[in-house]
Amino acid sequence: MFDDYLTWKPFFDIAPMLLDDCRAVSDLHGQRFARQWGDGEIASLLMQPGVFGFCAFQTNAFFSRPLGGFALSREAAGEAEILTIGVAEKVGRSGLGWRLMQAALREATVRGVETMFLEVEENNVAAVGLYRRLGFEQVARRPAYYAAADGTRSAALVMRRDLR
């Protein structure tokens, strides 16, 4: 029994993002990005036509449903973009980012989207690798696009995947 406790792993369900999730999404966003998006910003986006998102909630927690990750996207005129995606550090490299991206790609396909875009910091090796494994290809590079807390700047890679 004790050995089972030592090998316990969290399990997550992927669910559509709701307005009630915006505070938790904002908190996690602030842990993962230099500039936190407030819950009002996220709610405002989520209420716009064409915007959709997903949350990964832990299902085997004892007293709550902790947020393990999120993805927020927007579609218009046959194209979609990942606005932001984040996975909690403690569950990084667990496949949660893959699952959130798959949910966003499926929803975009259902909505008739032909092409999905995203921007990623060029130095974020794990994310760039994930997006490449998902079939995204670099189509542009924006120098000095992202600003870190210490004032340094890094490039953004613009990536694209055809869905049809």
Side-chain angles (χ1 to χ4, degrees):
M1 180 75 162
F2 185 69
D3 289 340
D4 290 341
Y5 179 75
L6 293 177
T7 60
W8 179 85
K9 294 186 187 326
F11 294 99
F12 292 90
D13 279 341
I14 307 297
M17 187 183 296
L18 305 174
L19 289 174
D20 288 345
D21 302 325
C22 292
R23 174 82 262 155
V25 169
S26 172
D27 290 345
L28 181 52
H29 190 278
Q31 294 169 26
R32 304 307 288 164
F33 296 97
R35 190 188 85 69
Q36 179 176 356
W37 290 6
D39 58 335
E41 290 175 279
I42 294 166
S44 178
L45 281 168
L46 198 55
M47 290 188 293
Q48 292 178 15
V51 175
F52 57 95
F54 295 92
C55 291
F57 290 104
Q58 186 176 341
T59 57
N60 63 339
F62 294 109
F63 300 107
S64 64
R65 293 183 64 213
L67 179 67
F70 64 86
L72 190 62
S73 305
R74 172 176 36 215
E75 63 89 9
E79 294 182 347
E81 64 178 321
I82 299 294
L83 298 170
T84 186
I85 180 171
V87 173
E89 188 172 0
K90 66 182 176 181
V91 292
R93 306 198 63 81
S94 67
L96 207 47
W98 176 274
R99 291 178 60 202
L100 287 161
M101 285 296 297
Q102 289 290 350
L105 290 165
R106 275 192 303 274
E107 180 64 22
T109 301
V110 166
R111 291 172 178 239
V113 168
E114 296 180 8
T115 308
M116 174 79 84
F117 290 91
L118 59 82
E119 292 173 351
V120 60
E121 186 174 7
E122 147 179 272
N123 299 331
N124 189 340
V125 177
V128 171
L130 168 66
Y131 302 141
R132 286 194 172 128
R133 284 190 306 278
L134 285 164
F136 284 84
E137 296 179 359
Q138 180 181 336
V139 294
R141 182 177 182 274
R142 295 184 174 144
Y145 186 78
Y146 291 107
D150 66 2
T152 60
R153 300 192 73 81
S154 58
L157 302 181
V158 179
M159 302 183 83
R160 169 190 171 146
R161 177 180 162 176
D162 292 330
L163 302 181
R164 302 245 180 234

